Amino acid sequence: MDKTEKKKRVLSGIQPSGHLCISNHIGAMKNWVKLQDEYECVYLIVDLHSLTVNQNPSELRQRCYSYIAQYLACGINPDKSLIVVQSHVPAHAELTWVLNTITYLGELNRMTQFKDKSKKEKNINLGLYTYPVLMASDILLYQADLVPVGADQKQHLELSRDLAHRFNTKYSPTFTIPDPFIPKQGGRIMSLQSPDSKMSKSDDNPNNYIALLDEPSVILKKIKRAVTDSNTDIKYDESRPGLYNLINIYSAYSGQKPSDIENMYIGKMYSDFKNDLAEIIIESLQPIQKEYSKIFNDKEYLDKLLLDGAIKARYIASKTLTKVYRKIGLVKKIR
Ligand code: AMP
Ligand code: TRP
């Protein structure tokens, strides 16, 4: 890249709910790490989003710190990227209000994540419904060019693009239209016990997912128990969802192509494949876990990092919000 050329911006975020797991890592965070050199990156802990489901206040606070330490341990480098707690930048909530006023109810009614969550949740609150508007505000505030997420976020991103386009057309060009960045393989990692539904970090049954902080013995046990099928050969075949998913995980952590993995296991048994897979996951997570245990207790360091992230993020966000307020006709704030 030409040195005078401005770096494009990447933005993504994860809700501090449940345990960060390998699906978040494969679907999103591995790309976050890769994109750091080429882009100016902002990685959020979207704590306001997590309030849309019931939270225990002291656990939520602890979990936020734990997530920050896990972002760092996975390779997010604070010298290159901003790590920001969403609630530290008031402009997220402020822009959400403006975007609410240009979002149609029909658009929110179509959101599949809302439909799924409202089937499961007892507490179907307004925040859960307008969740995608807050996400659009996260993205548009920073004028993000690229948003690395898993495939499940595609519909939400489509809404962000539509809102940006709608605002730009109604007033004048203001927001960058963000592009999704979804891995071709690994964009949708499935549950270990029910491979027809996605692996989720908030699943009530821990056997469905592997958390980034799971101990080696737990990882081995979960992989051994993972549902496959009654065949005996190791084939990368979408009609065999359990095995297909395990090969995707194998491929993501070993860097080997599914076809090469198939070849390696010709004539071998599921148990051989599963033992190796568990080993590969354990080895990949070990450095992350080691690094995590060094950082997690250093609250002073984490707080300093968050303050730095918040100051820089507030500056970027306030530039966008000021522009938005001016364009829609609000009276200028006297400083
Ligand atoms: P969530 O767990 O819903 O907070 O998602 C955090 C990030 O991980 C988002 O970018 C999701 O798209 C991604 N993600 C969540 N679940 C999966 C999955 N099963 N496969 C791939 N990516 C996922
Ligand atoms: N909705 C995303 C999820 O459930 C989390 C999220 C919130 C997000 N704001 C974002 C992702 C902005 C990317 C960009 O995973």
Side-chain angles (χ1 to χ4, degrees), residues 14 23-24 27-28 149-150 152-153 186-189 198-199 201:
I14 299 186
S23 54
N24 305 121
V149 282
D152 60 333
Q153 294 303 310
R188 191 168 163 79
I189 298 296
K198 72 163 193 166
M199 184 182 285
K201 67 185 181 352

Side-chain angles (χ1 to χ4, degrees), residues 273-291:
F273 169 78
K274 281 186 165 182
N275 281 330
D276 290 351
L277 171 60
E279 196 55 43
I280 286 168
I281 300 173
I282 291 166
E283 271 177 25
S284 306
L285 298 188
Q286 218 159 36
I288 296 175
Q289 298 181 350
K290 213 167 138 198
E291 191 58 25

Side-chain angles (χ1 to χ4, degrees), residues 62-100:
Q62 274 298 101
R63 201 181 307 118
C64 278
Y65 280 111
S66 170
Y67 268 48
I68 297 153
Q70 288 179 74
Y71 280 16
L72 294 167
C74 283
I76 304 301
N77 180 344
D79 295 330
K80 293 183 188 162
S81 304
L82 293 186
I83 299 179
V84 181
V85 174
Q86 186 188 34
S87 63
H88 291 181
V89 184
H92 288 254
E94 294 172 287
L95 181 62
T96 300
W97 181 256
V98 176
L99 295 180
N100 275 339

